[in-house]
Amino acid sequence: MFLTDNSNANKSRSKLLLSSRDWDTLVTDRSKLRKENTTLSRGGISERRVHTRVGTYHTDRSRRGVYGNSELGESSEDDDEQDDQLLDRARQDQTDLPSEYWQIQRLVKYLKGGNPTATVIALSSIRDFNLSMDICQLAIRDAGGLEVLANLLETDNLDCKIGSLHILKEISKNPTIRRNIADLGGLQTMIALLDEPEKELKCLAAENIAHVAKFKRARKVVRQNGGIKRLVGLLETASPNAHGSMTHYSQNDIAKNVEVARAGALALWSLSRSDRNKQAMERAGVIPLLAKLLKSSNETMLIPVGGIIEECAVDPVYRIAIRGMIPDLVKNLQSSNAELQKHCASAIFKCAEDREIRALVRKHMGLRLLHDLLQQTDNKALLAAATGAIWKCAISRENIAQFQQFRTLDTLVQMLNNQPEEVLVNVVGAIAECAKEADNRTLIRKANGISFLVNLLTGTNQGLLVNTCHALRQCSEEPESIVMIDRLDGVRLLWSLLKNPNPRVQAAASWAISPCVKNIKDSGEMVRSFVGGLELIVSLLKSKDVEVLASVCAAIAEIARDEENLAVITDHGVVKLLSNLVTRNEDILRRYLAEAIAECCKWGNNRQTFGDNEAVAPLVKYLKSSDTNVHRSTAKALHQLSKNPMNCVTMHEAGVVRLLMEMVGSKDEVLQENAAICISYIRRLALANEKSRNG
């Protein structure tokens, strides 16, 4: 039947799809349609199946082996249980269902049993409903409409395909319906439609993929069925060099090509949330196409392109390529479209840990534009992206100097009082970077920033706690600021964060505690006033995290400068725990571990205990490190340990003299002095032994 009516349907396609409201009588004049379709109700669908491109097709698509791959366990269906409950709640009382529910159900029946013309009319009439409403989506699903719509994608009738895709595009915004479409094998059919010559069909298929591929399993299906390469190919349609010069194309053709490319970009944006898909996109040649499209003046095109770049900016391969896109990303920060600004700022945020990218942002005047975005206080998503970009750009001292000229820090400090956490995390991170400059620490204190920062220590957001600790660590280097931190009980709050289960928070708190203990007057008594505080920090030496271990060693090195505190932590077994770490290879840990050992040697028999725990010989190897900071702290530790004769013997046997002789020639006076003293102790012991042997 499709074969006989196909030509008539094609002639009236534009009228049917563009003027669907003219078919309102379809819903009310039921007797006419019922009469027309009496002979079709039995055979309409079966005949449609016969004429699909793929051959015989079964309506119960859910029984197809769509996901036979062994990687099925990669995702879970539990994510959208809430959405199922919301959709199914309408079934609890059938008498309360609105008329739209029943009207859509009747139209779905026409889809199942109608001829091509009636099918297209029914599709157009369904589109007249508000398909964003849950009840309309529920009506289509309950009547088996998803299976029918999926089947229509495999017919030879262009109008049916387009009408079906229009409906699926609207209802696939619902998370549960997305999963239903994927379960029915709809994604595979949509991927195949990307090869069709009809541009409207390709565009709708790509937009549907963009909606459905919002969850992990669907993204995997698109990748495994060759969808990524096809979608990347759609981006080429908007490129002037895709098929030679585009001067011979009409404006209408160019607009269609741009719309197809935009739809492809939307789909790739959804797919780029997967690391494997990022790699597949890169292999398919997406990077040069993104660079070309980013130069477009079409904002509807730029938004998904910016979204893809934002998602991919964390990947090292893309990050290198983004260096060449920085001028265009910076240019689009001036756009009047807030969403485009957000994507560009967020892309800079995610890749500005790269030194060269930070320099390029500065070179192309991006720092001023990022500062100006701080005025968009009503748009929290844009504000989070802008403050994040400022945070990462402030890693470079040259960029901090420019932010000082713009008075960016003043604005950031004022934002500490009235922003949501997703913005505060980045604001505090930016303040922490700026606080590395002494002038900025003074500015933060004068703007009442210390009080705001200390108050943030009572929160629960892990990222915010980490950044707040980093900021206070920098501020505590200024004498006036450390007085304020002490008065506001900031050190006690920092110490309480050592109980936090997150290693990043523990490490950040320990790093902040170290300068606080160093710079606060009478800090020894303050530390002892924290009930269980010393035992807590010593216990963190059992951590498996290198950053936690290094930061705790740094804090212990400062705490141990007070004799009473050193006695207490010795009783808590600090010597044994430090000795257990001496075989580690990480220079960041070695540096502060040696500092802690040097300070802990100054109590009782700790020097001998370190020797008994075989901590001396491994320390000698630290002198072979390429880090001069490790050399300095190790020389201090060896100096203290060499005051014990047995430790001198152990050091000598480990070959320490030759290594220390090299250190004596260092330009670092602390290293020189400690190396020389250690050698002198070893030499004295050797002379004493020689004298005793000679009588």
Side-chain angles (χ1 to χ4, degrees):
M1 188 168 293
F2 266 19
L3 293 176
T4 58
D5 291 340
N6 205 31
S7 59
N8 292 332
N10 287 335
K11 290 177 183 178
S12 59
R13 174 169 59 85
S14 59
K15 177 180 176 181
L16 291 171
L17 291 178
L18 298 176
S19 306
S20 60
R21 295 189 185 278
D22 295 340
W23 301 100
D24 288 342
T25 54
L26 180 69
V27 179
T28 54
D29 192 2
R30 301 183 184 88
S31 59
K32 182 179 178 181
L33 272 178
R34 194 175 292 118
K35 181 178 179 181
E36 180 183 349
N37 292 323
T38 301
T39 58
L40 297 173
S41 59
R42 295 179 182 177
I45 286 292
S46 62
E47 291 183 45
R48 183 184 300 134
R49 292 179 198 136
V50 172
H51 294 289
T52 59
R53 288 195 311 275
V54 296
T56 305
Y57 193 76
H58 300 288
T59 302
D60 187 7
R61 297 167 63 100
S62 61
R63 296 180 182 178
R64 291 172 57 183
V66 177
Y67 306 112
N69 193 287
S70 61
E71 297 180 31
L72 180 61
E74 190 176 273
S75 65
S76 168
E77 296 292 338
D78 298 335
D79 296 343
D80 293 306
E81 285 182 1
Q82 239 179 343
D83 299 288
D84 280 323
Q85 292 170 6
L86 289 172
L87 276 173
D88 294 339
R89 197 172 295 159
R91 292 195 183 91
Q92 294 175 3
D93 189 354
Q94 295 287 328
T95 60
D96 292 339
L97 292 173
S99 60
E100 290 88 349
Y101 179 88
W102 305 110
Q103 290 171 356
I104 289 176
Q105 289 226 327
R106 281 189 285 271
L107 289 170
V108 172
K109 291 180 182 178
Y110 296 135
L111 289 181
K112 292 180 178 179
N115 61 25
T117 302
T119 299
V120 174
I121 293 172
L123 289 169
S124 301
S125 298
I126 291 173
R127 288 179 60 195
D128 286 338
F129 289 90
N130 183 0
L131 296 179
S132 64
M133 293 174 57
D134 285 349
I135 197 65
C136 295
Q137 298 166 359
L138 182 65
I140 293 173
R141 195 177 75 165
D142 287 354
L146 294 179
E147 290 89 339
V148 178
L149 291 170
N151 280 337
L152 289 176
L153 298 181
E154 298 199 10
T155 66
D156 290 330
N157 188 287
L158 185 60
D159 297 323
C160 290
K161 292 178 184 176
I162 290 176
S164 175
L165 285 170
H166 273 296
I167 295 171
L168 289 170
K169 185 179 80 168
E170 293 301 318
I171 64 177
S172 61
K173 294 174 183 176
N174 181 291
T176 304
I177 298 234
R178 287 178 204 144
R179 293 178 179 273
N180 294 150
I181 293 171
D183 291 340
L184 292 168
L187 276 171
Q188 288 89 331
T189 309
M190 292 171 186
I191 291 168
L193 293 177
L194 297 175
D195 294 329
E196 292 288 331
E198 175 61 39
K199 292 178 181 177
E200 184 180 4
L201 196 60
K202 290 197 285 191
C203 185
L204 286 168
E207 288 179 329
N208 272 276
I209 292 172
H211 290 168
V212 178
K214 292 287 177 68
F215 64 101
K216 190 173 184 179
R217 177 162 52 85
R219 292 193 288 268
K220 177 181 172 184
V221 169
V222 175
R223 182 180 72 249
Q224 291 180 335
N225 286 272
I228 289 178
K229 188 173 182 179
R230 291 179 171 93
L231 289 166
V232 170
L234 296 186
L235 300 186
E236 296 180 359
T237 60
S239 172
N241 298 322
H243 303 289
S245 173
M246 294 184 72
T247 54
H248 63 282
Y249 285 101
S250 68
Q251 287 298 317
N252 186 44
D253 286 336
I254 293 173
K256 286 182 178 179
N257 287 339
V258 170
E259 191 61 22
V260 170
R262 185 193 69 85
L266 284 170
L268 290 170
W269 184 8
S270 295
L271 294 168
S272 64
R273 291 178 175 87
S274 159
D275 289 340
R276 289 187 181 181
N277 286 351
K278 289 185 182 79
Q279 296 166 8
M281 288 161 56
E282 188 269 326
R283 290 194 296 270
V286 77
I287 291 177
L289 294 173
L290 291 175
K292 289 179 182 178
L293 293 175
L294 195 58
K295 298 180 183 296
S296 169
S297 58
N298 187 329
E299 284 188 349
T300 59
M301 168 68 76
L302 286 169
I303 288 171
V305 169
I308 296 170
I309 294 171
E310 176 189 355
E311 289 290 340
C312 296
V314 295
D315 186 280
V317 175
Y318 284 88
R319 189 174 289 180
I320 293 171
I322 287 172
R323 292 174 183 172
M325 304 180 197
I326 291 297
D328 295 308
L329 287 172
V330 169
K331 181 188 71 175
N332 287 319
L333 291 176
Q334 303 176 71
S335 169
S336 58
N337 187 300
E339 187 177 2
L340 178 57
Q341 288 177 313
K342 180 189 82 71
H343 292 316
C344 292
S346 187
I348 293 171
F349 171 28
K350 291 183 176 181
C351 64
E353 290 188 2
D354 182 288
R355 179 187 294 272
E356 187 173 337
I357 287 177
R358 295 197 298 272
L360 286 168
V361 173
R362 180 177 69 254
K363 177 183 177 182
H364 294 282
M365 310 303 173
L367 300 180
R368 179 76 211 192
L369 296 173
L370 291 171
H371 167 83
D372 292 342
L373 290 179
L374 297 181
Q375 308 308 315
Q376 306 293 329
T377 53
D378 293 334
N379 189 331
K380 301 306 180 185
L382 176 56
L383 206 56
T387 51
I390 290 171
W391 169 19
K392 296 303 180 181
C393 286
I395 295 173
S396 294
R397 295 296 176 90
E398 299 88 348
N399 291 349
I400 292 178
Q402 286 208 8
F403 286 134
Q404 286 175 319
Q405 295 174 15
F406 307 147
R407 300 186 68 82
T408 303
L409 188 57
D410 300 68
T411 307
L412 292 172
V413 172
Q414 296 310 312
M415 292 172 67
L416 289 173
N417 196 31
N418 58 354
Q419 296 298 331
E421 287 185 344
E422 60 268 22
V423 176
L424 279 176
V425 170
N426 298 337
V427 169
V428 178
I431 290 173
E433 291 297 333
C434 292
K436 292 177 180 177
E437 297 291 335
D439 292 343
N440 288 338
R441 292 196 285 268
T442 303
L443 191 154
I444 292 167
R445 172 175 52 80
K446 290 182 176 179
N448 200 31
I450 300 297
S451 177
F452 290 143
L453 290 170
V454 171
N455 289 338
L456 292 176
L457 293 176
T458 60
T460 57
N461 183 295
Q462 307 292 292
L464 182 55
L465 289 172
V466 169
N467 286 352
T468 303
C469 290
H470 288 325
L472 289 171
R473 176 189 179 186
Q474 299 300 329
C475 290
S476 62
E477 297 292 346
E478 190 199 40
E480 291 87 349
S481 294
I482 194 63
V483 170
M484 290 187 66
I485 293 171
D486 186 24
R487 188 173 68 246
L488 294 167
D489 214 13
V491 182
R492 182 185 61 81
L493 292 172
L494 286 169
W495 216 288
S496 68
L497 292 179
L498 298 178
K499 298 178 182 178
N500 193 293
N502 188 325
R504 291 178 62 238
V505 176
Q506 293 174 347
S510 299
W511 286 125
I513 286 169
S514 182
C516 288
V517 173
K518 177 182 178 181
N519 296 322
I520 290 177
K521 187 178 180 181
D522 298 326
S523 62
E525 185 177 347
M526 175 195 68
V527 169
R528 288 191 297 279
S529 70
F530 302 147
V531 178
L534 291 172
E535 183 179 5
L536 173 61
I537 200 164
V538 169
S539 69
L540 289 178
L541 290 173
K542 300 175 184 176
S543 173
K544 303 297 183 184
D545 188 274
V546 174
E547 192 75 14
V548 172
L549 293 172
S551 59
V552 169
C553 285
I556 286 175
E558 295 299 334
I559 292 167
R561 296 182 192 278
D562 180 271
E563 192 174 70
E564 291 186 45
N565 288 339
L566 177 53
V568 174
I569 62 175
T570 299
D571 290 342
H572 289 311
V574 72
V575 174
K576 176 63 176 175
L577 293 171
L578 291 173
S579 300
N580 292 340
L581 301 175
V582 292
T583 56
R584 300 293 292 264
N585 297 319
E586 300 88 353
D587 277 345
I588 182 67
L589 174 55
R590 284 175 161 186
R591 174 185 175 182
Y592 293 103
L593 174 59
E595 290 276 3
I597 290 174
E599 294 302 327
C600 289
C601 281
K602 298 174 183 179
W603 176 257
N605 295 323
N606 285 357
R607 293 186 182 90
Q608 181 180 336
T609 308
F610 277 118
D612 294 341
N613 286 311
E614 300 181 349
V616 178
L619 276 175
V620 174
K621 297 178 182 178
Y622 290 16
L623 296 175
K624 298 178 181 179
S625 169
S626 58
D627 189 339
T628 55
N629 290 317
V630 175
H631 297 166
R632 187 187 307 114
S633 58
T634 302
K636 290 180 183 178
L638 292 173
H639 167 199
Q640 293 298 326
L641 289 167
S642 65
K643 293 180 180 180
N644 178 274
M646 291 308 299
N647 290 342
C648 285
V649 173
T650 305
M651 291 179 201
H652 188 272
E653 291 175 349
V656 76
V657 174
R658 180 180 59 81
L659 296 170
L660 287 175
M661 288 296 290
E662 295 175 6
M663 304 299 167
V664 170
S666 170
K667 295 180 180 180
D668 187 323
E669 292 183 0
V670 175
L671 177 55
Q672 273 185 351
E673 181 182 357
N674 284 282
I677 294 173
C678 184
I679 292 172
S680 72
Y681 280 125
I682 295 172
R683 179 59 179 161
R684 286 177 194 173
L685 179 62
L687 290 173
N689 288 337
E690 184 178 351
K691 185 176 181 180
S692 64
R693 283 198 302 270
N694 294 333

